[in-house]
Amino acid sequence: MKAVILAAGHGTRLWPLSESMPKVLISIGNRPIIDYVVDALVANSIKDIAVVVGYHKEAIMTHLGDGSQRGIKITYYQQNRPLGTAHALLCARPFLDEPFLVVPGDNLIDRQVVKDALEASSGNVLVLTRSNMSSEYGVVTTHGKRVVNIMEKPKNSSANVISTGIYLLQPEILPMLEMELSQGINGISSAVAKNLERIDLEGVMTRGEWRDAIYPWDILHMNSRAMDFRGQTVLGNLEEGVTLKGPVHIGKGTRIRSGCYIEGPVHIGEGCDIGPFVSVFPGTSIGNEVQVDPYSLISGSVVYDAVSVGSHCHLSRSLVGRNTTLSSSCHMDSGPAQIVSGGNLFPQEDIGAIIGPGSHFEAGVTVRPGIMVGNGCRVHAGATLRENLRSRTEAF
Amino acid sequence: MCGIVGYSGDKMATDIILDSLIRLEYRGYDSVGVAIVNHDIVVYKEKGQVSQLRDLVPSIDGYTGIGHTRWATCGVPSSENAHPFKSMDGRIALVHNGIIENYLDLRKELSAQGYEFSSQTDTEVLVHLVHRYMDGDLHMALRRALQDVRGTYAIAAVEFGSDRIVVARKENPLVIGVGMGENFIASDVTAILEHTSDVIYVMDGETAVISPEEIHLFSPEGQEIKREVNRITWTSEDAKKEGFEHFMLKEIFEQPKTVRDTLVCYLDGLEASDILPPVSPSSVTIVACGTSYHAGMVGKYAIEELANIPVTVELGSEFRYSSGTDNKPLVILITQSGETADTLAACREARRRGCHTLAVTNVLGSTITREADSVIMTKAGPEISVAATKTYTAQLVSLYLIALKLALNRGAIDEMGLRELKAQLRSLPTLIERVLDRADSLQDAVEVMSRAQHAFFIGRNINFPSMLEGALKLKEISYIHAEGYAAGELKHGPLALLDPDTPLVAACLRDHTYEKMISNVTEVAARGSPVLIVASDGDEQVHLLTDHVIFVPRCPPLLSPVPLAVLLQLLAYHVAKAKGMPIDKPRNLAKSVTVE
């Protein structure tokens, strides 16, 4: 069995994280999403994998390489313009000479999801799951096992069975996709939906975990569950007087200085310098090369690579993009908030701030709950942010 | 990284194995070796490149054999440490790519049983282990031996009197090439594509036995398994590029990793490390050629700023003509290959004058690592593209580390300053990622540059050498005549050469040189030359001067040469690509310049 991972998309709704990074490389629980996908395939002995790349393809190719380090073979195909999933799949046409799995590279899945697809009948299979956000996905109606209808992003649907976008397909189906593409139908789902009478498509409800990060705050919600490791792994340096509780991972070359208190699940990457006297509370992931100065507190947050957190900072249920600098005494507390994104309001029970990559916060900045800050912003000392900040702007 | 190959068939094994090893040289090239089975097992191995072995190996009659090309990561390259290794009775030979983690324990145990070791490698324990379990069946002996081993490997072994090759893999690549009356094994399809495009991938934990007519594959549990043969449709050149169009682009994109690797190696233990003598020198001389010379110039600014020690930078080819002075400077020699003839000559001259010599190089075991008093390794890995990219940024990082170490030795930096600088250095890989992520934004700049026949690059202070390097990259691969100048020098001559067809590239970053740079640029713009400004993120003001702006992420001025280098590499690459140039192998240039 071969598999095709679709990794050419933008994920624009993940702004500000997606502005310069493909969605598949955004980390949850300190691992890029596509790594979960590759792991799920490898765990099911699928080792011949094609990846369709487009947006920031070089970053993806550099990250995955040729697969030989994981004992698999990865071949790349390019989709030069974002013309839909069917178009993306057909970019890998020479690869598709036997039954294959199609897997979106930007959903977090576990091995069970792939297993469920493989154990279904030998024809064409669509993996289904349940979601209370069905208006964001394709809602699927089945008759017995057979899929009889797929409705894309219905406005008011009470149904909660949705398509995961994961298919097991026979190569014989490709001419149909090509034909539909020439008619301007360029999504796999819509092409399949149009031909459900002619092809046998079996729906399989998966027992596995399938999660999608549509908005950046979804990452905060998913972060804790993604860190499903147990025990304590310390590959770095712990100074005397550090307290670790629960599942904690500390990466190579990371130094945790005296008096730090870390309560898992917490995942800390490589080459960090934390403390002395820093508290890190459950659900937090800290990337590589992060520095956290004394007396700061980080709880339920996602801190990406090369972030620098000054002393006396407080981050709660907040997300900080790579390379952002927070000077001392910056506060990002959490609370109930209405996040404004793309002209819509998203009520959240408990959320902190969402800060894009490469921004610089001078000392004593407060960011109110639910506020988003873009890429490369500069926030001057003592400012309080009560509104979202566009990328590359200054705030006083 | 290392590469292994093997052949069993009806042709002369030596020729095929040496050919395959040449194709694997990108996996490492500091020592090579072959073992051929005939009336004995004949082993030839040597420190150096495959071509050197080719001159050394006579034609040996033998139709089965294995080979290895090595890139030392620990343990120096030498013929003793080169593979293959033979068992003491000479009946088994073995090559290995990977790391045996528990080799010290195994070595102790085997020594106690009377096994003798001739090398410092972890691999040698494997051949003795296999010998210990040998009971007529090499495959079984290897499987049994691997039960004692912790680590990663791709292994190939041959035995006297047999045309079989036995292989095993775990977390290191290995493929079997399927031929007619002959079969192959290799780390990578590239090595054997010339002979066959039908391959079988060996997966983790599996072993296999290959003979001219047969291939038997075994699961981790030892059951024989069948696997379909894959037909390879791409060419060998494509294979090594992992999806990238050119090695240069692949290497540009490797920089977050190579910079990180170099930092990880030295940063945490910098205070305690002995890369420099504890006495602090009263002056420093940096000697290098080409791209390394530009790195040296950045090093001058870094050392002078952090450690407050005066630095002169000299070209390798000119150093010997400089007069020795009574004061004995610390001499830093920068050479990617470690074999640059002029830099080596300078190293000897410096030692003759009684100076402490510190080499910055990318090749462990190269000549300069033996001749200099101390060495810093840039962890960039093999660089294939002639135009240096990842080795340049790794050199910059090494020089920052040297500057920091000199500052520490002199007490010129306090604990707070050290912590801050370390944090800044640690952010470099991510900073590079952010430059790479905006490769798409270069389109307009590429159009401007690719129309030009001549171009000028200007900068001030620490960004001056960055612009020299930017100009060098452009001329090397796009054949556009590009020159870099200190911005202040523009008025002293080069301004006469500017015309509406000659673009000027100016680094106007938000640092203390910003205003002076802007006035230089204004002057040029007024004369009708197209101006391309490299500006810091968020700088709207530069749009008043020109339509052509490319942005780099903000960073501390001292470190700006790193993101700037990456940006200008991308610019040069895309200009050369737009012009259809042979990017990885420009005319008249060689990777390593070993003549004076």
Side-chain angles (χ1 to χ4, degrees), chain B residues 97-222:
Chain B
N97 169 28
I99 297 162
I100 305 302
E101 286 162 12
N102 57 337
Y103 86 99
L104 283 176
D105 294 341
L106 291 171
R107 191 173 169 133
K108 216 181 288 166
E109 184 185 322
L110 288 161
S111 298
Q113 292 174 2
Y115 285 95
E116 283 165 23
F117 286 83
S118 61
S119 79
Q120 295 117 37
T121 65
D122 51 351
T123 301
E124 205 177 0
V125 301
L126 282 175
V127 74
H128 292 325
L129 266 182
V130 173
H131 177 264
R132 186 167 84 183
Y133 291 116
M134 187 69 181
D135 187 16
D137 183 343
L138 183 63
H139 177 233
M140 290 316 293
L142 178 62
R143 288 192 68 97
R144 180 63 194 83
L146 290 176
Q147 288 176 13
D148 294 350
V149 161
R150 211 171 58 236
T152 66
Y153 47 78
I155 296 169
V158 290
E159 85 187 281
F160 171 69
S162 162
D163 58 4
R164 282 174 305 174
I165 304 174
V166 177
V167 299
R169 78 153 275 183
K170 189 180 168 203
E171 290 169 44
N172 277 297
L174 187 65
V175 294
I176 299 171
V178 185
M180 296 281 287
E182 57 182 0
N183 288 310
F184 308 80
I185 65 109
S187 291
D188 183 320
V189 178
T190 335
I192 49 178
L193 259 185
E194 187 170 317
H195 305 287
T196 178
S197 41
D198 291 331
V199 302
I200 295 173
Y201 289 93
V202 182
M203 301 301 179
D204 266 1
E206 292 174 356
T207 54
V209 181
I210 292 109
S211 60
E213 300 293 345
E214 286 173 67
I215 295 168
H216 298 281
L217 192 62
F218 298 89
S219 72
E221 294 74 36

Side-chain angles (χ1 to χ4, degrees), chain B residues 455-477:
Chain B
F456 291 94
F457 285 64
I458 58 166
R460 278 174 187 266
N461 194 266
I462 201 163
N463 291 325
F464 158 48
S466 305
M467 298 316 269
L468 292 177
E469 174 60 12
L472 175 63
K473 282 288 95 70
L474 189 70
K475 78 178 117 187
E476 275 186 297
I477 60 167

Side-chain angles (χ1 to χ4, degrees), chain A residues 39-259:
Chain A
D39 280 1
L41 293 172
V42 174
N44 286 280
S45 300
I46 299 177
K47 294 179 173 177
D48 194 358
I49 298 172
V51 182
V52 182
V53 291
Y55 181 65
H56 286 302
K57 57 176 187 282
E58 293 86 0
I60 300 171
M61 296 189 305
T62 309
H63 176 71
L64 292 177
D66 64 358
S68 55
Q69 291 305 318
R70 300 186 200 219
I72 57 175
K73 183 181 149 223
I74 296 180
T75 317
Y76 295 95
Y77 293 90
Q78 280 190 32
Q79 185 188 29
N80 291 324
R81 281 186 297 158
L83 295 175
T85 50
H87 178 260
L89 178 64
L90 289 168
C91 289
R93 188 72 170 86
F95 181 79
L96 308 173
D97 53 0
E98 57 172 271
F100 55 90
L101 275 174
V102 185
V103 193
D106 57 1
N107 299 141
L108 219 148
I109 57 172
D110 65 7
R111 59 172 73 187
Q112 186 65 40
V113 177
V114 175
K115 194 159 179 252
D116 289 335
L118 297 176
E119 282 176 356
S121 79
S122 54
N124 297 305
V125 178
L126 170 60
V127 179
L128 309 175
T129 189
R130 291 184 203 280
S131 165
N132 49 16
M133 300 266 290
S134 57
S135 60
E136 299 282 355
Y137 301 100
V139 171
V140 177
T141 318
T142 51
H143 190 270
K145 280 185 167 180
R146 190 171 167 170
V147 174
V148 292
N149 190 21
I150 308 175
M151 206 182 351
E152 278 305 315
K153 300 186 180 171
K155 279 270 153 56
N156 299 304
S157 174
S158 58
N160 67 354
V161 176
I162 60 154
S163 157
T164 60
I166 299 171
Y167 290 87
L168 190 163
L169 297 175
Q170 307 298 318
E172 291 73 37
I173 206 168
L174 294 168
M176 181 275 281
L177 290 179
E178 277 165 346
M179 210 270 290
E180 292 296 344
L181 188 63
S182 68
Q183 312 274 319
I185 310 277
N186 42 25
I188 298 175
S189 180
S190 29
V192 167
K194 230 181 115 188
N195 291 276
L196 282 172
E197 281 169 20
R198 293 199 290 123
I199 52 167
D200 239 344
L201 182 65
E202 183 185 329
V204 180
M205 179 62 63
T206 181
R207 291 162 288 165
E209 181 114 4
W210 177 92
R211 315 255 285 167
D212 187 20
I214 308 175
Y215 299 102
W217 50 90
D218 294 333
I219 294 174
L220 285 166
H221 299 318
M222 290 158 70
N223 205 49
S224 206
R225 286 193 67 175
M227 294 186 278
D228 67 343
F229 55 90
R230 292 191 181 78
Q232 297 178 345
T233 318
V234 179
L235 304 173
N237 249 319
L238 289 191
E239 290 186 359
E240 235 165 90
V242 171
T243 306
L244 302 184
K245 286 190 169 177
V248 176
H249 175 98
I250 290 166
K252 236 180 9 197
T254 285
R255 177 175 294 272
I256 310 284
R257 295 178 187 267
S258 297

